[in-house]
Amino acid sequence: MGAGAPNPLYSEYSILNSLKMVPLLLFYAFSVLVQGYNAELTLHPKTQFLFPEGKSLVLPEPSDYFSSQLVSTPLPTNSFFQNFVLKNGDQPEYIQPYLIRSANSSISISYPSQNISSDFIEQIFRPDLTISASKNPKPNQRHVISSYSDLSVTLDLPSSNLRFFLVRGSPYLTFAVNGNTSISISTVDPILKLSCDSSFTKYTIRLRNRQTWILYASAPIHLTDNVSTIKSGGFSGVIRIALLADSDSQFEKILDKCSSTYPVSGSAILGSFALKYKWDVKGAGKLLMLAHPLHLRLLSKADASVTVLEDVKYSSMDGELVGVIGDTWDLEAESIPVSWHSIKGLNKKSIPEIIRALGNDVKTLNASNISATSSYFYGKLVARAARLALIAEEVSYPKITPVVVQFLKDMIEPWLNGTFGANGFFYDKKWGGLVTKHGLNDTTGDFGFGIYNDHHFHLGYYIYGISVLTRFDPAWGKQYKSQAYSLVEDYTNLGPKENQHYTRLRCFDLWKLHSWAAGLTEFPFGRNQESTSEAINAYYSAALMGSAYGDADLVSVGSTLAAFEIQSAQTWWHVKGDNEIYAPRFVKNNKVVGILWSRKRDSILWFAPAERKDIRLGIQVLPILPITEVVFSDVDYVKELVKWALTSVPKNRTEEGWKGFVYALEAIYKQKQALNKVRELSSHDDGNSLSNLLWWIHSRK
């Protein structure tokens, strides 16, 4: 842990808390043993604190698209179907393997091709088939979201008597037709051939673009076609439409065999480093779904109820989607260590240098001199200071701890008390979540926090600071526990049973297994996220807060979400030389994705061009924490990434803060060389400090 004998101050802050962790860890281990590895996680009810209600002038009206029974509950603000409830609701969403667009009382389905360059990959939406009612008295009536879940959304076209069960990973588009309604299916490519079987329940649609679609009906349906339109007589029942992605006869037989079994919704049950998918299935037979590459890697090998069909494949922005038979899946994430201190320990010879840097960094702490009012930059300053206290604890240098603790109190308390006049947290009843004073009447205030952008990024920094402060001053933590949990549950709440004031897992996508950051902004390419490391920090910090408060369930929730976020970053953001998910042209030019969208991969950042590879690396590293060791555990990839980024490191001293992150990763395999570079830096990014960089480099073993 470090050199030097502990004094009474060190004993009070460190040894006491270490002893308090023993029963917590024993309790956590006992809980896993009793409940089972895949048991559903629940957070015990807390005293639920609400920040003052804020009246936003910029938030959209949820009742425009959500059914009346849903608008009285907290609503998702970073969901996979968010475009369906913003503005005109007519931007496509990627519901693997198809793009789905709802407009003018119709649903269009697209099996997207890709536009590929060395700088980006994007899906091209082309409405292959558009489904509507033939005689609709209100053709411009909006759709309605009547229900949603972790893995699905039910979209109704009320004037058309059509209900679409949009379930992620289904190779079929499934919809119910009520009221003996005539339907119309239009195409953008001429129909070459429409044929049916003898029962009139299976039709094959061949288009000039070489696509073949198969339509299955739960009862006989009579279809006729002209050049670009297919029409039916009156029909009531269920229709499923699937692309025949492979002309192999076995592929079609599998689609035929599984066509009568359809999911209407799907849920995800979070366990300890585990996730269970369960679909609500109608019809007789076996359920066919599609798994993305990370699903396939995490599917439990011991689950005999699931069969992977290697020959059933659909292309995807996220890699090949492979067929899986089974209406429940068990996913097992690799467990990760959540530690306050370095995982491998420090080189004892380095401690004097770290202590000198700590002394200099602590001298800069003066809350009265802080000019930042943005919730993001202010939170980063809080977390930066909190790191100093933990590093001091690890190197047995308690002298600075009271200074850091007081600084953290001076910084954090005004936000929790509502006395920080320049800004503050408020509660929005319309969607159900936190907003800031800056965001009440400005969509760009606090980088869009008021319209639910980047919540996990901002709040993760505060939660980190609160966790550290609670570790060193448990009485303070007890005093502010309700406010602390209100912050963390804004993005980690597991549902209304846990906290009725917040939506379920605001940012985390339980199908993609990573977070989205975009909030209530309509984007043609869907949701997006830039910084995976800040997302990881949010859940890692939640786990630390659980540790600080003796809450084993919060430790498990935070740790599990962090583990999934890490594995998603390694799958979709980290672009290794042997990457098979993205096109070779993109892989050759990029070692890390800048902005990852639902249906696009971009090399640019929101605040920097693609050429600034050092910044692109940095935004996937900051803040440097013990958990960073796990994120960048592949040394061969780190070498590729650093070599690539070093080519754009500026030689002047105007942006030295970003250099530190490149050198930090270089230290994983060239410790001395990186150390010398860091010692020469004269400035650091506000999410970092010299003592933190030295701590990181000297913990390389």
Side-chain angles (χ1 to χ4, degrees):
M1 287 286 292
N7 66 15
L9 184 61
Y10 180 78
S11 299
E12 176 187 353
Y13 284 139
S14 181
I15 297 177
L16 177 62
N17 281 284
S18 297
L19 290 173
K20 291 173 71 175
M21 282 298 295
V22 173
L24 169 64
L25 295 173
L26 290 174
F27 169 71
Y28 175 54
F30 177 76
S31 299
V32 173
L33 177 65
V34 173
Q35 297 178 34
Y37 180 73
N38 292 318
E40 182 175 5
L41 292 175
T42 58
L43 295 179
H44 299 305
K46 310 293 184 306
T47 302
Q48 294 183 359
F49 171 88
L50 275 185
F51 286 91
E53 184 179 344
K55 298 292 185 181
S56 172
L57 302 179
V58 295
L59 282 169
E61 179 54 59
S63 60
D64 288 346
Y65 292 103
F66 286 99
S67 64
S68 57
Q69 72 267 21
L70 294 178
V71 293
S72 60
T73 63
L75 295 168
T77 58
N78 270 292
S79 74
F80 67 96
F81 62 87
Q82 208 70 55
N83 273 349
F84 292 163
V85 299
L86 299 173
K87 292 191 176 180
N88 294 325
D90 57 0
Q91 288 290 345
E93 285 287 19
Y94 189 35
I95 300 176
Q96 292 176 340
Y98 305 116
L99 286 176
I100 303 294
R101 180 176 183 261
S102 176
N104 300 322
S105 288
S106 67
I107 293 292
S108 296
I109 181 172
S110 171
Y111 185 59
S113 59
Q114 294 183 2
N115 182 17
I116 300 169
S117 78
S118 59
D119 293 323
F120 63 85
I121 304 172
E122 63 184 20
Q123 288 179 330
I124 301 171
F125 174 79
R126 196 165 184 269
D128 296 316
L129 301 176
T130 299
I131 302 152
S132 61
S134 294
K135 298 177 181 179
N136 185 352
K138 298 179 180 179
N140 296 319
Q141 187 178 38
R142 289 175 167 176
H143 59 251
V144 174
I145 303 295
S146 57
S147 66
Y148 62 87
S149 66
D150 302 316
L151 309 178
S152 63
V153 59
T154 302
L155 191 149
D156 295 344
L157 304 181
S159 62
S160 303
N161 292 325
L162 302 180
R163 166 169 286 183
F164 289 82
F165 305 106
L166 304 179
V167 182
R168 308 173 80 180
S170 174
Y172 309 85
L173 174 67
T174 305
F175 60 99
V177 185
N178 298 311
N180 198 36
T181 300
S182 299
I183 65 168
S184 171
I185 303 175
S186 61
T187 69
V188 292
D189 285 287
I191 300 166
L192 294 183
K193 186 177 182 181
L194 175 70
S195 57
C196 67
D197 65 0
S198 58
S199 67
F200 295 98
T201 59
K202 175 186 175 183
Y203 283 80
T204 302
I205 306 167
R206 302 186 191 280
L207 305 180
R208 193 172 68 180
N209 65 357
R210 299 183 180 179
Q211 287 182 347
T212 297
W213 297 81
I214 302 177
L215 181 148
Y216 301 94
S218 61
I221 184 172
H222 296 279
L223 302 179
T224 59
D225 69 295
N226 58 25
V227 175
S228 61
T229 305
I230 298 170
K231 291 191 175 182
S232 77
F235 177 80
S236 295
V238 174
I239 291 176
R240 309 193 78 194
I241 299 176
L243 177 81
L244 187 62
D246 191 315
S247 59
D248 183 86
S249 60
Q250 286 301 117
F251 194 105
E252 185 171 351
K253 287 179 181 178
I254 293 171
L255 289 177
D256 291 349
K257 186 177 180 179
C258 298
S259 63
S260 60
T261 307
Y262 62 95
V264 295
S265 66
S267 60
I269 302 169
L270 197 66
S272 176
F273 296 110
L275 191 63
K276 180 185 286 290
Y277 290 160
K278 296 179 69 174
W279 286 276
D280 181 9
V281 176
K282 305 293 183 183
K286 295 182 177 180
L287 178 67
L288 172 64
M289 299 295 289
L290 302 173
H292 60 55
L294 187 51
H295 287 148
L296 293 173
R297 196 150 65 246
L298 301 181
L299 271 172
S300 172
K301 305 300 185 292
D303 188 357
S305 64
V306 167
T307 303
V308 177
L309 304 178
E310 297 288 355
D311 294 331
V312 175
K313 294 181 179 179
Y314 286 76
S315 65
S316 159
M317 172 65 65
D318 304 303
E320 278 190 332
L321 305 177
V322 177
V324 176
I325 297 290
D327 56 14
T328 63
W329 297 0
D330 286 314
L331 306 178
E332 297 177 356
E334 295 179 14
S335 61
I336 60 170
V338 174
S339 168
W340 297 95
H341 300 139
S342 58
I343 296 172
K344 298 177 181 178
L346 288 168
N347 182 339
K348 291 184 178 181
K349 294 181 180 180
S350 69
I351 290 176
E353 181 179 24
I354 296 174
I355 288 175
R356 286 194 298 272
L358 279 170
N360 291 329
D361 286 334
V362 168
K363 288 177 182 178
T364 66
L365 299 183
N366 186 337
S368 62
N369 288 340
I370 300 299
S371 60
T373 61
S374 156
S375 58
Y376 177 71
F377 290 117
Y378 195 102
K380 288 180 75 173
L381 292 173
V382 166
R384 180 183 187 271
R387 284 293 305 137
L388 303 181
L390 289 177
I391 295 169
E393 182 182 51
E394 187 168 358
V395 299
S396 300
Y397 186 59
K399 178 180 178 180
I400 67 167
T401 305
V403 177
V404 179
V405 166
Q406 188 59 52
F407 176 82
L408 290 175
K409 289 179 180 180
D410 292 342
M411 292 286 285
I412 295 171
E413 286 179 7
W415 286 80
L416 301 186
N417 292 331
T419 58
F420 185 59
N423 204 352
F425 293 122
F426 292 85
Y427 180 76
D428 159 51
K429 289 182 65 175
K430 185 178 288 188
W431 289 85
L434 292 179
V435 294
T436 58
K437 182 177 180 180
H438 286 175
L440 287 175
N441 55 14
D442 182 2
T443 58
T444 65
D446 291 328
F447 296 100
F449 192 94
I451 52 173
Y452 293 99
N453 182 60
D454 291 356
H455 268 218
H456 54 328
F457 293 170
H458 296 221
L459 295 176
Y461 286 117
Y462 290 87
I463 297 304
Y464 186 83
I466 290 170
S467 303
V468 172
L469 187 46
T470 300
R471 175 176 174 81
F472 287 100
D473 190 341
W476 182 93
K478 183 178 181 180
Q479 179 183 353
Y480 286 99
K481 183 175 182 179
S482 295
Q483 293 96 319
Y485 269 87
S486 187
L487 294 184
V488 78
E489 288 178 354
D490 178 81
Y491 66 93
T492 64
N493 183 40
L494 294 180
K497 291 181 180 179
E498 315 302 332
N499 191 326
Q500 62 182 340
H501 302 297
Y502 297 119
T503 191
R504 174 171 163 84
L505 293 177
R506 183 176 309 283
C507 301
F508 195 83
D509 186 326
L510 286 163
W511 175 258
K512 278 300 301 294
L513 304 179
H514 64 73
S515 298
W516 298 113
L520 298 178
T521 301
E522 180 191 66
F523 290 108
F525 291 104
R527 301 305 92 198
N528 69 78
Q529 180 166 267
E530 187 174 57
S531 176
T532 56
S533 52
E534 288 180 296
I536 293 163
N537 172 65
Y539 303 115
Y540 166 77
S541 297
L544 290 183
M545 196 171 103
S547 296
Y549 280 113
D551 184 343
D553 288 322
L554 184 55
V555 172
S556 191
V557 169
S559 302
T560 300
L561 294 176
F564 282 123
E565 194 84 44
I566 288 169
Q567 290 178 264
S568 289
Q570 293 169 341
T571 301
W572 288 299
W573 273 264
H574 297 182
V575 185
K576 302 177 184 179
D578 59 355
N579 183 287
E580 295 181 352
I581 291 178
Y582 303 135
R585 188 178 177 187
F586 183 82
V587 171
K588 183 179 180 181
N589 203 50
N590 300 277
K591 291 303 175 186
V592 67
V593 172
I595 304 172
L596 186 142
W597 302 78
S598 175
R599 44 183 291 243
K600 185 180 183 182
R601 303 293 181 263
D602 223 328
S603 59
I604 65 170
L605 300 172
W606 287 110
F607 63 100
E611 293 74 27
R612 287 303 303 272
K613 299 172 184 176
D614 56 322
I615 299 181
R616 213 190 318 171
L617 176 150
I619 202 64
Q620 303 301 337
V621 177
L622 66 85
I624 295 175
L625 300 162
I627 200 70
T628 308
E629 180 104 16
V630 181
V631 182
F632 293 96
S633 57
D634 186 334
V635 178
D636 289 336
Y637 168 65
V638 171
K639 290 179 180 178
E640 291 182 46
L641 178 61
V642 171
K643 181 180 178 181
W644 170 82
L646 281 172
T647 61
S648 69
V649 170
K651 295 181 180 180
N652 59 51
R653 290 181 173 268
T654 58
E655 295 182 77
E656 289 204 331
W658 292 106
K659 293 180 182 180
F661 297 108
V662 181
Y663 301 155
L665 289 195
E666 188 177 25
I668 292 175
Y669 61 94
K670 284 185 178 179
Q671 186 181 27
K672 290 183 179 180
Q673 183 172 322
L675 180 60
N676 290 332
K677 292 179 180 179
V678 165
R679 285 169 174 162
E680 293 175 358
L681 293 177
S682 61
S683 64
H684 304 88
D685 179 78
D686 61 355
N688 214 343
S689 64
L690 178 58
S691 53
N692 195 34
L693 279 172
L694 293 174
W695 162 85
W696 166 264
I697 293 174
H698 287 304
S699 64
R700 306 299 93 219
K701 287 187 176 181

